[in-house]
Amino acid sequence: MSATPFRKISGGVCAPKGFLANAVSAGIKSPDVERLDLALIYSEAPCVAAGTFTTNRVKAAPVRVSQAHLRDRDVQAIIANSGNANACTGVTGIQDARKSAKTVARSLGLRQGQVAVCSTGVIGLPMPMMRIEPQFPSLVEGLDRKKGTDVAKAIMTSDTRHKEIAISMELDGHKVKIGACAKGAGMICPSMATMLCFITTDANIGRTNLDKAVHEAVEHSFNRITIDGDMSTNDSVVVLANGESGMPRIQRNSKSYRLFRESLEFIMLEMAKSLVKDGERVTKFVTVKVNGARTYNDAKKVAEAVANSALVKSSWNGNDPNWGRIIHAIGYSRAMIREELIDIHIGSKPACIGGLEAQTPMDELRKTVAKDKFTITIDLHLGDAEYEVYTSDISPEYIDFNRSEYAYWKQARKDGLTKQ
Amino acid sequence: MSATPFRKISGGVCAPKGFLANAVSAGIKSPDVERLDLALIYSEAPCVAAGTFTTNRVKAAPVRVSQAHLRDRDVQAIIANSGNANACTGVTGIQDARKSAKTVARSLGLRQGQVAVCSTGVIGLPMPMMRIEPQFPSLVEGLDRKKGTDVAKAIMTSDTRHKEIAISMELDGHKVKIGACAKGAGMICPSMATMLCFITTDANIGRTNLDKAVHEAVEHSFNRITIDGDMSTNDSVVVLANGESGMPRIQRNSKSYRLFRESLEFIMLEMAKSLVKDGERVTKFVTVKVNGARTYNDAKKVAEAVANSALVKSSWNGNDPNWGRIIHAIGYSRAMIREELIDIHIGSKPACIGGLEAQTPMDELRKTVAKDKFTITIDLHLGDAEYEVYTSDISPEYIDFNRSEYAYWKQARKDGLTKQ
């Protein structure tokens, strides 16, 4: 990947040609708080679009609406908010999401189906549309080449920092750019997280190839991160490609397709890793690498069982290189394993060889686990299949942080949106 | 069940006729700590025995040894220790477990195969046999009718209180007794927990019927509790029946079989619930009841997804009746669901009806979740299948408590048992 000939640039989602953005404070959580929470991304030129969404069977209204809108693959704008997930809000929620798309579409001269809608925040509360709708005019008016970072900030929930990236590369002799912003924190789990990721590019690519590239890249990035084993109702990755770079159309299996696909995966992986590093009250970034599994699914099961074990994650939080808890998680992963063949390395040092304690002194292993970034390598010695996930420790502060969302509900009651 | 004609009595595993017990302090964790950690249960008369063991593919040495010994179904004694799980200890671990069985068997005039071995504690450390073996003579000598409670105490690890129960009932005109003790805490998960449960009875029952009764009862008790979603390498339930009550042999599908099976399930359920209540740093006992699922497996998936969600458990810890997190866990359970049909009751009050917020005031729901015991009822309205699990909240203290087992390792190094 390091060989890939692209360089990082500034500008986020506004870095590629022809993309504008804006964000405002609509007071979605609370009217009294000045905080960017409503964002708009817009391409001046028509786009080819692709997206992937949560596999949770409880889907937020904006997810249902955006999935429908993306069917024609010509989405040209994204309206997004934080503070309210618009999930479990029934017909009203669907109507609210559609209304937002429709209003924004009209003032941009687009069809409703050309606007994707994304929300993140608390589940089960109606959207405070009385505070959101009045913002649409100024949101559209203020569209600007320089406001990519505002969008990254406006979609933050419990994120401690905004997340964006942009790269520039040569494709068929033309300068092509890809920009992205994302939000995460909490509930990060394989098969996508509570995360939103918006990606813009001025590459020239058709629907089928963009779909293929996006799905491959997501499988190797966002589907491989986990913080607490939960899975959200709102996860969305939306990619807009407007072809404004002037490059010729990317052909199937061409060199430029491979390069574009690699760059897209690089961008998504950077965003995915930054989500884990900024997970709720996370203190460590841990890569769990499984080798020698009989099948790809076995490797995946083992990696995810270890990465999701509350006991394993607690021990990491305590700088305890507890390979016993790791091997017991391997044991209940339901993957085919043979205890006496299992090797576990913590960093480069063996902790367990052939299912038994290795000779590495405990204190050396502790040094590795005490770092804020390390890799656990598990070799099952049963085949050639591999899998890798990116995860974190779990801290007492995480539980404490997630004990209550009562504040949202109190505000919703003030707004007359809930009787609860 | 309340109709079942039996009454609670004292004495634990020594309540039934012909059972003796003893426990001593062998300093397995640390030679300097006076604490019961080595226990023996013995039936003066031959027994019919049955057991169920962890489904974790990484099995502790004593589990492998006891499974083999139980094949002949005539186990007559159980040797158990806390402080060391004798798991991931390879050939040495197997040898240590066999040696314990053999030594105890010899001094009791039994075959090695008539002694079951059970261990609980830290994984990956060799057993400090140099402190255990010298204790066997006094352990056997001290066997006594009055020491049932000592066994319950000796198997405790992070349990805050010992757990035992005994009941007396009429079977075919004879007084029949069942006694039990158990240990749990932490890592409690469906398909059995880090738990040991020893059950003694003077009922007269054959191998096939005892097997059947034990497996049915375990499925409805120990397999339905979960604290942190982890699953241990050492879980064992061992049941010894010596027929000393003088009753005639229990016949298949007879009234006495049903009564015996019911009583056994009552005992196991009482023990299982007491494990959850005493889970590591647990503050609440929660029953998650799923109705209206299309299949039994769907009901089970939903109940376990909700009961194992870190976010749901955190909200319970914070007295937050967060039904949004519950429905999102239902959504990723992989069970067949229809969001718009889901009802969620917290206690007797509706929190979510048809996938939407119910009218119950938040503060009423909070009152229920603030209790130390409540039920979450989920109706999927898709069929008749039901499932119920018993679980708990997760507290910041749980994570803090599980951050390190370093003390064990330091002692093991002192003992020259590990280079780590």
Side-chain angles (χ1 to χ4, degrees):
Chain A
M1 197 74 102
S2 55
T4 318
F6 54 68
R7 54 184 187 77
K8 289 194 182 180
I9 56 174
S10 64
V13 291
C14 287
K17 249 195 203 144
F19 285 96
L20 307 176
N22 190 21
V24 298
S25 168
I28 293 170
K29 275 187 194 172
S30 147
D32 327 324
V33 181
E34 249 315 301
R35 186 201 142 162
L36 294 177
D37 55 12
L38 187 64
L40 178 62
I41 299 173
Y42 169 65
S43 166
E44 293 169 305
C47 292
V48 168
T52 65
F53 298 90
T54 182
T55 57
N56 194 310
R57 284 185 174 164
V58 175
K59 287 181 180 18
V63 168
R64 297 177 188 276
V65 169
S66 295
Q67 280 181 313
H69 289 187
L70 269 158
R71 233 167 256 133
D72 293 342
R73 301 278 189 283
D74 65 350
V75 164
Q76 200 170 324
I78 304 168
I79 176 84
N81 75 276
S82 61
N84 187 314
N86 192 10
C88 305
T89 43
V91 178
T92 319
I94 298 284
Q95 285 166 343
D96 290 344
R98 288 212 185 108
K99 193 166 195 182
S100 300
K102 192 173 177 180
T103 316
V104 170
R106 191 172 292 139
S107 47
L108 289 171
L110 302 174
R111 284 179 297 102
Q112 181 180 327
Q114 291 178 294
V115 180
V117 189
C118 298
S119 299
T120 176
V122 66
I123 296 173
L125 284 179
M127 292 282 276
M129 293 303 285
M130 71 291 229
R131 285 200 294 278
I132 295 173
E133 284 190 84
Q135 298 297 329
F136 287 140
S138 57
L139 191 63
V140 172
E141 254 165 53
L143 280 169
D144 187 300
R145 272 203 170 58
K146 296 187 175 46
K147 296 205 182 140
T149 306
D150 287 5
V151 175
K153 288 176 178 166
I155 57 178
M156 289 167 65
T157 52
S158 53
D159 306 67
T160 64
R161 47 187 177 271
H162 71 281
K163 301 160 184 75
E164 68 175 355
I165 186 172
I167 61 171
S168 170
M169 63 187 150
E170 286 272 317
L171 281 186
D172 292 326
H174 293 70
K175 177 173 284 180
V176 175
K177 294 170 183 157
I178 307 180
C181 65
K183 64 83 49 183
M187 275 163 55
I188 306 296
C189 182
S191 311
M192 306 199 43
T194 293
M195 51 78 60
L196 299 177
C197 180
F198 306 137
I199 300 179
T200 57
T201 179
D202 48 22
N204 180 0
I205 184 167
R207 292 166 188 196
T208 322
N209 288 332
L210 184 62
D211 261 337
K212 189 161 173 289
V214 167
H215 285 89
E216 289 170 353
V218 165
E219 172 57 26
H220 289 87
S221 56
F222 292 115
N223 285 354
R224 297 205 172 192
I225 59 177
T226 169
I227 288 176
D228 58 14
D230 276 0
M231 198 189 298
S232 125
T233 51
N234 290 59
D235 311 327
S236 308
V237 174
V238 180
V239 183
L240 307 183
N242 66 8
E244 290 295 280
S245 59
M247 72 175 291
R249 176 63 60 96
I250 293 174
Q251 296 308 313
R252 189 152 178 274
N253 300 329
S254 63
K255 182 167 171 303
S256 8
Y257 174 81
R258 281 195 306 281
L259 185 49
F260 175 76
R261 147 94 174 64
E262 264 187 21
S263 316
L264 195 63
E265 181 174 325
F266 169 79
I267 288 235
M268 289 192 188
L269 200 53
E270 285 296 298
M271 288 290 98
K273 289 179 175 178
S274 71
L275 297 193
V276 174
K277 288 175 188 151
D278 194 25
E280 282 164 0
R281 305 309 190 254
V282 153
T283 72
K284 294 174 199 296
F285 180 87
V286 186
T287 302
V288 178
K289 201 169 175 356
V290 176
N291 304 323
R294 223 171 85 276
T295 65
Y296 176 85
N297 274 336
D298 275 358
K300 188 173 177 180
K301 281 181 195 159
V302 168
E304 292 180 355
V306 171
N308 286 324
S309 159
L311 279 173
V312 170
K313 294 160 98 66
S314 300
S315 63
W316 290 339
N317 186 253
N319 301 334
D320 183 358
N322 199 316
W323 62 270
R325 290 180 180 176
I326 294 173
I327 200 169
H328 106 250
I330 296 170
Y332 69 68
S333 67
R334 297 204 156 78
M336 153 75 88
I337 59 133
R338 277 184 52 203
E339 181 180 346
E340 63 276 21
L341 297 181
I342 296 171
D343 296 346
I344 300 171
H345 282 70
I346 297 175
S348 58
K349 300 272 190 317
C352 166
I353 296 295
L356 298 172
E357 173 192 44
Q359 298 301 303
T360 316
M362 182 78 157
D363 293 328
E364 274 187 47
L365 297 172
R366 284 179 73 79
K367 271 189 212 119
T368 304
V369 180
K371 291 181 183 149
D372 59 5
K373 190 166 178 242
F374 58 89
T375 299
I376 304 286
T377 311
I378 298 160
D379 196 329
L380 301 176
H381 293 292
L382 287 176
D384 306 324
E386 303 180 342
Y387 197 80
E388 191 169 87
V389 299
Y390 310 100
T391 187
S392 64
D393 58 336
I394 186 169
S395 64
E397 296 73 22
Y398 167 89
I399 305 295
D400 196 45
F401 181 76
N402 282 295
R403 289 171 82 238
S404 185
E405 283 177 341
Y406 195 37
Y408 291 84
W409 293 79
K410 285 213 307 252
Q411 180 57 47
R413 196 164 35 195
K414 262 199 221 144
D415 294 337
L417 291 172
T418 173
K419 294 200 180 46
Q420 280 197 355
Chain B
M1 199 72 107
S2 54
T4 318
F6 54 66
R7 54 185 186 78
K8 288 192 183 182
I9 57 173
S10 64
V13 291
C14 286
K17 249 194 202 149
F19 285 95
L20 307 177
N22 190 22
V24 298
S25 169
I28 293 169
K29 275 187 194 172
S30 146
D32 326 325
V33 180
E34 249 316 299
R35 184 198 144 162
L36 295 177
D37 55 11
L38 187 64
L40 178 63
I41 300 173
Y42 169 64
S43 166
E44 294 169 304
C47 291
V48 169
T52 65
F53 298 90
T54 181
T55 57
N56 193 308
R57 284 185 176 165
V58 174
K59 288 182 180 18
V63 168
R64 297 177 188 278
V65 169
S66 295
Q67 279 180 313
H69 288 188
L70 268 158
R71 237 168 253 132
D72 294 343
R73 302 276 189 284
D74 65 349
V75 164
Q76 201 170 323
I78 305 167
I79 177 83
N81 76 277
S82 62
N84 187 314
N86 193 11
C88 305
T89 44
V91 178
T92 319
I94 297 284
Q95 286 166 344
D96 291 344
R98 288 212 184 107
K99 193 165 196 184
S100 300
K102 192 173 178 181
T103 316
V104 169
R106 191 174 290 137
S107 49
L108 289 170
L110 303 173
R111 283 178 298 101
Q112 180 180 326
Q114 293 178 293
V115 180
V117 188
C118 298
S119 300
T120 175
V122 66
I123 296 172
L125 284 179
M127 293 281 276
M129 292 305 284
M130 71 293 225
R131 286 201 293 278
I132 295 172
E133 284 191 85
Q135 299 296 329
F136 288 140
S138 57
L139 191 63
V140 172
E141 254 166 51
L143 280 168
D144 186 302
R145 270 202 174 56
K146 296 189 173 44
K147 297 209 181 136
T149 307
D150 287 4
V151 175
K153 288 177 179 165
I155 57 178
M156 288 166 65
T157 51
S158 51
D159 307 67
T160 64
R161 47 189 179 272
H162 71 281
K163 302 162 183 74
E164 68 175 355
I165 187 172
I167 61 170
S168 171
M169 62 188 151
E170 287 271 317
L171 280 186
D172 291 326
H174 294 70
K175 175 172 286 181
V176 175
K177 294 169 183 159
I178 307 179
C181 65
K183 66 83 46 181
M187 274 164 57
I188 307 293
C189 182
S191 311
M192 305 204 36
T194 296
M195 52 80 57
L196 300 176
C197 181
F198 306 137
I199 300 179
T200 58
T201 179
D202 48 23
N204 181 359
I205 184 166
R207 293 165 187 196
T208 323
N209 287 332
L210 184 62
D211 262 336
K212 189 162 172 290
V214 167
H215 284 89
E216 289 170 354
V218 165
E219 173 57 26
H220 289 87
S221 55
F222 292 115
N223 284 355
R224 297 203 172 193
I225 59 177
T226 169
I227 288 176
D228 59 14
D230 276 0
M231 198 189 297
S232 124
T233 52
N234 290 59
D235 312 325
S236 308
V237 174
V238 180
V239 183
L240 307 183
N242 66 8
E244 289 295 281
S245 59
M247 73 174 291
R249 174 64 58 98
I250 293 174
Q251 296 307 313
R252 187 152 182 275
N253 300 329
S254 63
K255 182 166 172 303
S256 4
Y257 174 81
R258 281 195 306 281
L259 185 48
F260 175 76
R261 146 98 173 63
E262 267 188 18
S263 316
L264 195 63
E265 181 173 325
F266 169 80
I267 288 231
M268 289 192 187
L269 201 52
E270 285 296 298
M271 288 291 98
K273 289 179 175 177
S274 71
L275 298 193
V276 175
K277 287 173 189 153
D278 194 26
E280 282 165 358
R281 306 306 190 258
V282 154
T283 73
K284 296 174 198 293
F285 180 87
V286 185
T287 302
V288 178
K289 202 169 174 351
V290 176
N291 303 324
R294 223 173 82 275
T295 65
Y296 176 85
N297 275 338
D298 275 358
K300 189 173 175 181
K301 280 181 197 161
V302 168
E304 292 180 356
V306 170
N308 286 324
S309 160
L311 278 174
V312 171
K313 293 160 98 68
S314 301
S315 62
W316 290 339
N317 185 255
N319 302 334
D320 182 358
N322 199 316
W323 63 270
R325 289 180 180 176
I326 293 174
I327 200 169
H328 106 249
I330 296 171
Y332 68 67
S333 67
R334 296 205 158 78
M336 154 75 90
I337 60 135
R338 277 184 52 203
E339 180 180 344
E340 62 277 20
L341 298 180
I342 296 172
D343 296 346
I344 301 172
H345 281 70
I346 296 175
S348 59
K349 300 274 192 313
C352 166
I353 296 295
L356 298 173
E357 174 190 42
Q359 297 301 302
T360 316
M362 182 79 158
D363 294 329
E364 273 188 47
L365 297 173
R366 283 179 73 79
K367 272 188 211 119
T368 304
V369 179
K371 292 181 184 148
D372 59 5
K373 191 169 177 237
F374 59 88
T375 299
I376 303 287
T377 311
I378 297 159
D379 196 328
L380 301 176
H381 293 292
L382 288 175
D384 306 324
E386 304 181 343
Y387 197 81
E388 190 169 271
V389 298
Y390 310 100
T391 188
S392 64
D393 59 336
I394 186 170
S395 65
E397 297 73 20
Y398 166 88
I399 305 295
D400 196 46
F401 182 77
N402 282 296
R403 291 172 79 235
S404 185
E405 283 175 342
Y406 194 37
Y408 291 82
W409 294 78
K410 283 209 312 245
Q411 180 58 46
R413 194 164 38 194
K414 260 196 223 146
D415 293 338
L417 291 173
T418 173
K419 292 200 183 44
Q420 278 195 358

